[in-house]
């Protein structure tokens, strides 16, 4: 629970406050005082008479009733303090800085349990334990530095790690990113990241509250809650970016399918973020750069779909690197030409280039900078936003240049992204620019890659399930009739896929050679034969392609039935097309993670796959397909026809809906699907069922 006493306490007591500002108890007091806390501040310290000019109480029994208590004492003392302060002093909120709880030992976890019991009993809010604290405009209850610039429209930052929060703040402060609040939830025993988002969502005021949320997440405790409130905030006009740490898996594990080998908790996180509309970041620099982009976009009536950019620079190299990075992300740096371009060129020094990047030269003046920006704003209609790269070549007055940039940011309707790389040699000038309320992107490539992440992040998915054409009652009947756990028979796979209108290539499974030959004659050669029984057919020689006669089929049948564990042979019509892959795996807490990608080597070796969280909307499916590295192959390249992408997206959505009503399916692997410009057809599929047995 988050209450007023936590956010806006009229009185605070620091248990363990001290005069030593190099210890957490002293640093907390320092930050509260320097932050201008206007309420009543108490300190409990058994050895001091005064702490940083504040009268010290020697025992908690001596203090008056207090609204918020900050505990900076050994873990073993915290449960008794919480019980006493809540019961006797009517404290309604606690911030426990101390470590040594459940993050370390079972005994520490028991201490946490006692604290939580007391908080629940007396209706108290709890931040921590094992955190750096909480910072907002009313009280700076953190023991760390830096203290960022605070602003009503600044960033709300929520972190699952105290130390990492400090490093992220360091990265943000040098960029000039303002903050509205900083939440370090520590062990999050009562209030986790999802709970903070819930509070911000349920109490959101579009006029007063921040529209930017940055998250550092170490554990997604409640995916549904995170999804619901993050997507709700984004629909209300907020922008959210997050790092989810712990994305790699050490070691390797045996898997019975491509899906099992590729799907992971990280794929689930990727799918969750995609569904919610959260921009996923992978480093501190990326997260704070995305935050600065959000802030820049917030200051203008900027549309999310901006695609075309002008680069104004006085150094050729950074302009080229920025152009390359934008182009790699499928963003445009269009050539600027024509009468207006020549007009601009005439106003710059000889040798300047206006083709885009617009290079005003190292000798270019602040006036030239302003002229170039004005042309991008007023004359070049094919430009959505402007990048300005301006360091210090030692030839111009940088203060004057940055003052021009300041004025243009205030005047222009198009977003301007300032890239001021000389943070050492022009440190004072950059700092002066930041004090005027701007941000600085010191590295152009990080800026470009972060902007690409933002523009490629889809909007929150609608909560409705796509049910059109899905035979839900029949799906449930088939699942209910399956009594054994494990991979189900091919005929049941076909029945389930048929219920979702997912087309499969014509096939027959039988242990009768003559029956299979008759079927092959009916559908026409060439055909494919596959052994039924072994999980990895190719590994045991259980697949034969391009069979063109009954005699050839008879020979392959006899050979395959000799393979260990062979139960039958499957015969299919042999089709041609681009190989695709769709799979899904059930992840605890998240539900079904759906994967799509190109089949063959792309899934087996390159693992070029994209993930989504079932059930999926058509917009999500298209986003998944478009995010594949091999997307251009699907579109068609070098004279080759593309595939029917609409049909591929439709099958992804239908599969996700099937899974929504068949949670007993723990893994499904459709590989390959064969696709051309007309249709997409499943060739092979496996479904793993696991039922809870009574």
């Amino acid at each position: 629970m988050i209450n007023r006493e936590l956010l806006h306490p009229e009185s605070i007591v620091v248990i363990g406050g001290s005069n030593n500002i190099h210890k957490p108890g002293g640093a907390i007091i320092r930050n509260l005082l320097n932050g201008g806390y206007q309420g009543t501040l108490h300190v409990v310290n058994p050895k001091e008479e005064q702490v940083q000019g504040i009268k010290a109480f020697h025992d908690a029994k001596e203090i008056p009733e207090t609204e918020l208590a900050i505990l900076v004492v050994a873990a073993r003392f915290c449960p008794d303090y919480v019980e006493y302060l809540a019961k006797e002093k009517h404290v309604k909120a606690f911030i426990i800085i101390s470590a040594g709880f459940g993050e370390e030992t079972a005994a520490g976890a028991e201490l946490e349990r006692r604290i939580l019991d007391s908080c629940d009993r007396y209706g108290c809010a709890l931040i921590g334990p094992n955190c750096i604290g909480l910072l907002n405009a009313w009280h700076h209850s953190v023991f760390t530095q830096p203290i960022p610039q605070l602003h009503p429209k600044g960033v709300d930052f929520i972190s699952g790690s105290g130390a990492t929060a400090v490093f992220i703040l360091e990265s943000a402060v040098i960029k000039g990113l303002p903050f509205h609040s900083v939440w370090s939830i520590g062990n999050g025993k009562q209030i986790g990241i999802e709970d903070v988002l819930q509070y911000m969502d349920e109490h959101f005021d579009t006029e007063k509250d921040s529209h930017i949320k940055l998250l550092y997440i170490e554990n997604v405790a409640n995916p549904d809650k995170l999804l619901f409130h993050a997507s709700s905030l984004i629909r209300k006009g907020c922008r959210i970016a997050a790092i989810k740490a712990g994305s790699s898996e050490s070691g390797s594990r045996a898997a019975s399918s491509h899906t099992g080998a590729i799907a992971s908790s990280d794929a689930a996180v990727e799918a969750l973020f995609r569904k919610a509309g959260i921009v996923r970041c992978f480093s501190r620099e990326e997260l704070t750069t995305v935050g600065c982009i959000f802030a820049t976009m917030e200051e203008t009536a900027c549309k999310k779909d901006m695609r075309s950019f002008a680069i104004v620079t006085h150094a050729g190299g950074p302009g080229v690197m920025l152009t390359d990075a934008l182009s790699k992300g499928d963003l445009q740096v269009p050539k600027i030409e024509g009468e207006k371009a020549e007009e601009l060129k005439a106003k710059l020094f000889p040798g300047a280039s206006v083709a885009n990047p617009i290079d005003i030269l190292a000798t270019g003046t602040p006036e030239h900078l302003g002229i170039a920006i004005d042309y991008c704003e007023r004359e070049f209609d094919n430009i959505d936003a402007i990048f300005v790269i301006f360091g210090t070549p030692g030839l111009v007055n940088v203060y004057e240049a940055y003052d021009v940039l300041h004025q243009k940011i205030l005047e222009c309707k198009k977003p301007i992204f300032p890239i001021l790389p000389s943070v050492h040699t022009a440190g004072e000038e950059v700092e002066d620019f930041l004090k005027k309320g701007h941000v600085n992107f010191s590295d152009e490539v990080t800026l470009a890659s972060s902007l690409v992440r933002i523009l490629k992040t889809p909007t929150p998915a609608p909560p409705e399930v796509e049910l059109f054409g899905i035979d839900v009652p029949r799906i449930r009947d088939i699942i209910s009739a399956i009594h054994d756990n494990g991979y189900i028979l091919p005929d049941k796979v076909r029945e389930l896929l048929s219920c979702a209108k997912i087309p499969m290539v014509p096939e027959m499974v039988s242990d009768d050679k003559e029956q299979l030959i008759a079927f092959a004659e009916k559908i026409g050669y060439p055909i494919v034969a596959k052994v039924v029984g072994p999980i990895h057919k190719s590994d045991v020689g259980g697949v034969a392609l391009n069979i063109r006669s009954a005699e050839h089929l008879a020979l392959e049948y006899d050979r395959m039935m000799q393979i260990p564990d062979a139960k039958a042979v499957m015969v299919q019509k042999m089709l041609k097309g681009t190989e695709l892959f769709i799979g899904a795996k059930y992840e605890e807490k998240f539900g079904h993670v759906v994967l799509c990608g190109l089949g063959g080597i792309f899934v087996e070796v390159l693992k070029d796959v994209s993930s989504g969280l079932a059930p999926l909307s058509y917009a999500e499916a298209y986003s998944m397909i478009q995010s594949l590295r091999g997307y251009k192959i699907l579109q068609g390249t070098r004279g080759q026809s593309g595939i029917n992408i609409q049909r591929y997206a439709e099958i992804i959505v239908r599969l996700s809906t099937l899974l929504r009503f068949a949670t007993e399916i723990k893994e499904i692997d459709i590989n390959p699907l064969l696709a051309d410009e007309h249709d997409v057809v499943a060739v092979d599929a496996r479904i793993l069922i696991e039922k809870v047995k009574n």
Side-chain angles (χ1 to χ4, degrees):
M1 59 173 292
I2 296 173
N3 54 23
R4 179 197 60 79
E5 290 84 355
L6 178 64
L7 299 176
H8 200 281
E10 295 298 333
S11 54
I12 298 175
V13 60
V14 180
I15 309 293
S18 75
N19 285 306
N20 188 346
I21 61 171
H22 299 295
K23 292 185 176 181
I28 285 265
I29 300 294
R30 176 200 62 199
N31 288 342
L32 282 166
L33 294 175
N34 291 346
Y37 175 61
Q38 298 297 305
T40 302
L41 182 58
H42 305 301
V43 180
V44 173
N45 186 310
K47 298 179 181 179
E48 302 285 352
E49 297 300 322
Q50 277 199 342
V51 171
Q52 299 182 45
I54 302 170
K55 177 184 182 308
F57 294 93
H58 291 172
D59 193 299
K61 295 177 181 178
E62 301 171 5
I63 67 170
E65 290 189 0
T66 308
E67 292 190 343
L68 168 65
I70 304 172
L71 274 56
V72 201
V73 294
R76 66 182 184 276
F77 300 125
C78 289
D80 290 339
Y81 268 120
V82 171
E83 175 68 21
Y84 175 79
L85 291 169
K87 181 179 180 180
E88 302 296 337
K89 301 300 179 179
H90 302 119
V91 170
K92 286 296 182 182
F94 290 91
I95 298 174
I96 302 181
I97 304 297
S98 317
F101 291 90
E103 78 280 2
E104 292 187 6
T105 64
E110 175 61 20
L111 296 177
E112 279 182 331
R113 186 195 62 76
R114 289 174 54 197
I115 290 169
L116 191 58
D117 286 348
S118 295
C119 288
D120 290 345
R121 187 180 309 117
Y122 299 107
C124 305
L126 171 64
I127 293 286
N130 185 30
C131 67
I132 65 169
L134 171 64
L135 182 150
N136 61 27
W138 180 246
H139 66 110
H140 296 185
S141 295
V142 294
F143 70 88
T144 55
Q145 291 186 320
I147 301 296
Q149 173 191 353
L150 296 178
H151 189 276
K153 293 294 184 179
V155 172
D156 286 320
F157 173 43
I158 315 166
S159 176
S161 165
T164 306
V166 172
F167 301 149
I168 289 172
L169 289 172
E170 290 274 8
S171 174
V173 165
I174 62 173
K175 293 180 177 67
L177 182 63
F179 283 75
H180 178 252
S181 67
V182 176
W183 299 69
S184 165
I185 58 119
N187 293 358
K189 296 313 294 182
Q190 184 199 74
I191 298 173
I193 288 175
E194 297 91 340
D195 301 295
V196 179
L197 280 179
Q198 178 181 1
Y199 182 87
M200 291 178 175
D201 179 26
E202 292 176 348
H203 296 81
F204 184 70
D205 185 324
T206 189
E207 296 296 326
K208 298 179 180 178
D209 291 339
S210 168
H211 286 61
I212 303 173
K213 321 291 180 188
L214 301 183
L215 315 176
Y216 174 80
I217 304 172
E218 292 190 335
N219 175 50
V220 181
N222 190 329
D224 287 342
K225 195 172 186 178
L226 178 64
L227 171 62
F228 181 86
H229 293 292
S231 57
S232 175
L233 280 164
I234 293 170
R235 290 190 187 97
K236 291 174 181 176
C238 291
R239 294 182 169 99
I240 302 178
I243 295 173
K244 168 59 178 75
S247 61
S248 63
E249 291 189 63
S250 59
S252 61
R253 61 189 177 93
S256 59
S257 70
H258 299 299
T259 302
I262 296 169
S264 66
S265 57
D266 186 60
V269 170
E270 183 77 26
L272 176 67
F273 283 13
R274 181 190 303 278
K275 199 171 196 67
I278 297 171
V279 178
R280 187 172 190 187
C281 302
F282 292 89
S283 71
R284 301 191 305 272
E285 281 300 300
E286 215 170 48
L287 183 69
T288 55
T289 299
V290 167
C292 288
I293 295 171
F294 284 161
T296 301
M297 295 165 74
E298 188 75 14
E299 292 173 0
T300 64
C302 172
K303 293 183 179 179
K304 187 172 184 276
D305 59 355
M306 59 182 179
R307 308 291 301 176
S308 185
F309 302 87
I311 300 171
V312 179
T313 179
H314 66 172
V320 172
M321 288 190 287
L322 179 55
T323 301
D324 288 344
L326 291 169
S327 299
K328 191 179 293 184
D330 294 325
L331 301 181
Q332 301 170 8
V333 182
K335 186 176 181 180
I336 296 175
E337 54 188 349
E339 180 182 341
K340 289 297 181 181
E342 293 302 317
E343 188 178 291
L344 169 60
K345 189 172 183 178
K347 295 182 179 182
L348 303 176
F349 283 145
S353 171
V354 299
N356 201 14
I358 299 171
D359 188 348
I360 65 173
L361 304 177
T363 52
T365 66
E367 181 184 7
H368 291 150
L369 176 64
I371 291 170
I373 293 173
D374 283 342
Y375 269 78
C376 293
E377 167 73 8
R378 302 169 189 169
E379 308 296 345
F380 304 144
D381 295 335
N382 61 335
I383 298 301
D384 300 322
I386 308 162
F387 295 102
V388 175
I389 305 173
F390 205 99
T392 172
L395 302 174
V396 298
N397 186 314
V398 179
Y399 275 113
E400 291 181 6
Y402 289 176
D403 189 55
V404 168
L405 182 56
H406 162 67
Q407 293 298 329
K408 296 305 177 186
I409 290 174
L410 297 180
E411 295 170 5
C412 292
K413 294 181 180 179
K414 295 177 181 178
I416 297 177
F417 297 92
I419 303 166
L420 316 179
S422 302
V423 292
H424 176 67
T425 53
E428 291 183 2
E429 292 93 330
V430 172
E431 185 177 352
D432 180 70
F433 177 79
L434 297 182
K435 285 180 179 177
K436 294 175 181 176
H438 305 302
V439 296
N440 173 35
F441 305 93
S442 58
D443 182 79
E444 59 278 350
V445 175
T446 303
L447 167 58
S449 61
S450 300
L451 184 60
V452 169
R453 286 197 183 280
I454 291 171
L455 297 178
K456 288 193 173 182
T457 299
T459 56
E464 297 81 15
V465 179
E466 300 283 352
L467 286 173
F468 181 75
I470 308 295
D471 191 345
V472 176
R474 179 61 182 149
I475 290 171
R476 291 311 312 160
D477 288 343
I478 295 169
I479 294 292
S480 298
I482 297 172
H483 301 294
D484 295 325
N485 289 342
Y487 284 95
I488 63 177
L489 294 174
D491 62 322
K492 295 300 179 186
V493 172
R494 292 184 71 86
E495 286 185 51
L496 283 171
L497 295 185
S498 175
C499 291
K501 297 292 191 296
I502 297 174
M504 291 197 74
V505 64
E507 70 177 31
M508 172 180 281
V509 177
S510 178
D511 59 0
D512 185 321
K513 184 183 354 181
E514 298 305 321
Q515 190 178 35
L516 291 173
I517 291 173
F519 177 73
E521 297 286 347
K522 178 181 177 182
I523 63 174
Y525 294 99
I527 61 154
V528 178
K530 302 177 184 179
V531 68
V532 176
I535 294 174
H536 295 291
K537 301 177 180 65
S538 298
D539 293 349
V540 295
V543 178
L545 306 176
N546 204 28
I547 297 173
R548 294 183 173 273
S549 68
E551 294 77 14
H552 188 181
L553 175 56
L555 288 172
E556 292 294 349
Y557 175 88
D558 292 338
R559 181 183 66 82
M560 289 182 185
M561 291 303 289
Q562 300 302 313
I563 295 173
D565 300 323
K567 298 177 181 177
V569 171
M570 174 192 294
V571 168
Q572 294 177 326
K573 179 70 175 175
M574 186 167 176
L575 303 177
K576 292 183 179 180
T578 300
E579 289 191 3
L580 304 176
F581 160 78
I582 302 177
K585 185 174 185 293
Y586 187 83
E587 281 285 338
E588 198 65 37
K589 296 193 300 185
F590 289 86
H592 283 101
V593 180
V594 180
L595 306 171
C596 76
L598 276 76
I601 190 172
F602 292 96
V603 66
E604 293 174 359
V605 179
L606 302 181
K607 293 182 173 58
D608 181 18
V609 296
S610 183
S611 60
L613 204 60
L616 295 165
S617 66
Y618 281 96
E620 287 179 278
Y622 280 116
S623 173
M624 289 168 64
I625 296 169
Q626 290 164 1
S627 68
L628 294 168
R629 296 193 299 275
Y631 177 58
K632 289 184 178 179
I633 296 174
L634 303 185
Q635 290 180 301
T637 183
R638 295 194 175 185
Q640 298 295 317
S641 298
I643 71 158
N644 188 332
I645 292 177
Q646 179 179 346
R647 184 64 172 148
Y648 189 27
E650 181 180 319
I651 291 174
I652 293 170
V653 172
R654 288 179 176 277
L655 176 65
S656 78
T657 305
L658 164 66
L659 296 169
R660 167 66 177 80
F661 295 100
T663 55
E664 297 88 346
I665 295 177
K666 300 307 178 187
E667 204 168 294
I668 182 169
D669 187 33
I670 307 177
N671 186 38
L673 297 94
L674 290 177
D676 58 24
E677 63 268 34
H678 304 296
D679 206 356
V680 180
V681 179
V683 175
D684 197 6
R686 287 172 291 192
I687 294 178
L688 177 66
I689 295 281
E690 287 183 10
K691 292 186 174 183
V692 177
K693 294 190 176 182
N694 297 325

